[in-house]
Amino acid sequence: MREKAIDEYHESLATDVNLTAEFFARLKERMTARRLLYGGRALGVSLRPHFLSRVQYDALAAASETLGAAFERV
């Protein structure tokens, strides 16, 4: 199911006529103007999200809960 979602997302991006080189140049320019940079590089220049499997999501959720509880104690 995860692979199907990734394939469908890639297909959606590939067929979007609005995602041109000019669009990405404007995006990078605006990110630079708003100082959305890390080490001189724009943050989040990719339109592809990270798709997680249920197992990966559950592991991240458990780790986040553990960290959250530790931070509350501190």
Side-chain angles (χ1 to χ4, degrees), residues 4-73:
K4 182 181 178 198
I6 293 170
D7 290 342
E8 289 176 1
Y9 191 79
H10 286 177
E11 179 64 25
S12 173
L13 290 177
T15 58
D16 190 334
V17 297
N18 296 310
L19 300 178
T20 63
E22 293 80 17
F23 169 81
F24 287 104
R26 274 193 328 272
L27 176 63
K28 187 174 181 179
E29 178 184 302
R30 290 177 182 174
M31 290 177 76
T32 300
R34 289 172 176 79
R35 298 174 47 198
L36 298 173
L37 307 172
Y38 179 77
R41 293 178 47 215
L43 298 176
V45 295
S46 173
L47 294 178
R48 291 187 169 102
H50 293 280
F51 289 98
L52 302 175
S53 68
R54 172 51 66 181
V55 171
Q56 290 171 314
Y57 176 84
D58 290 342
L60 284 171
S64 297
E65 289 172 8
T66 300
L67 284 171
F71 288 133
E72 284 180 14
R73 278 186 242 136

